[in-house]
Amino acid sequence: MGADHRVGDVLLVSCPYTDARVTRLTRQEVVVEWPWWEVDPECEWIEWNGQVALAGDPASYDWDLELFRTEPPTRDLEVGAVCRVGIPPTVVHVREVERFDPPRETGRLPRPRMHVVVLRAGQSHDPELEWQGYEIVPDDGVPIALDLLFRPYACLVAGDEVADAAGRAWRFDAPWDWHPFDGSEPSVPVWPLSLLTRDGHADDTAAAAVARATRTGSHEHELARWVELTQARPARLFVVRDSTRQPSR
């Protein structure tokens, strides 16, 4: 799993099933000895006991948020038994990517340098919820595979300034988070697009790539493909930042 995942990416996530011993069972959870992480001996404020609790009740709210499953299912397990823990192939979309410098202390090793928060297909981002999604940490020793199925607006990066076919200038922050510099509606660009600046400067190579990628298709086509795969509603995932600023020259 690489470190270049972006908000809006549609991924196929999976993890090979691995043996783990059951240490506790409740009505809603199964607790297992985690087969991958190690205790962080230098973390003085978090003591991890080597166990992880997983959602075990298909009728619970957490069941649809949890990605890991056990074989056999929880109803057929007992304390002390060895089960298999893994992730069946599941379509998700990325809601958040966050990097940590220095790496974050969690009581476990390796310490995470970033995390990717995903929602499974059929789940839409709800801004009213304090927390939503499942957190995946790249390179933490768990053999999770994340295969990219679709990246809307793959030719752009956050902060790009573009001009559209209607002559309007925009800032791109995320696939469904566009800010026209004139402040008027409609709030989606008309293809093809011309890259004005990247990182505040002209970039001829990137501009050529954007022109090629948007020669055919449309914003609506990108959106329709994303909705088809995610079965979710798109959301503006970034805070609006100075949408009245004039495009760089």
Side-chain angles (χ1 to χ4, degrees), residues 128-139:
E128 299 299 320
L129 294 178
E130 182 177 354
W131 174 258
Q132 184 186 20
Y134 187 88
E135 180 182 302
I136 296 174
V137 178
D139 304 322

Side-chain angles (χ1 to χ4, degrees), residues 89-186:
T90 305
V91 176
V92 300
H93 55 102
V94 177
R95 185 182 72 81
E96 175 185 317
V97 178
E98 186 173 2
R99 292 173 174 81
F100 309 109
D101 185 15
R104 189 173 62 174
E105 289 189 9
T106 62
R108 308 183 299 265
L109 292 177
R111 294 183 178 183
R113 296 181 178 276
M114 69 175 295
H115 72 207
V116 179
V117 179
V118 301
L119 297 173
R120 65 168 64 239
Q123 296 176 349
S124 301
H125 174 59
D126 185 349
E128 299 299 320
L129 294 178
E130 182 177 354
W131 174 258
Q132 184 186 20
Y134 187 88
E135 180 182 302
I136 296 174
V137 178
D139 304 322
D140 70 347
V142 181
I144 294 177
L146 286 177
D147 298 317
L148 181 65
L149 298 179
F150 178 58
R151 171 171 288 176
Y153 282 98
C155 62
L156 298 179
V157 298
D160 279 356
E161 295 176 349
V162 305
D164 72 0
R168 301 178 70 193
W170 303 77
R171 187 183 71 246
F172 169 83
D173 282 328
W176 325 128
D177 195 6
W178 286 84
H179 304 284
F181 286 101
D182 58 22
S184 61
E185 298 294 338

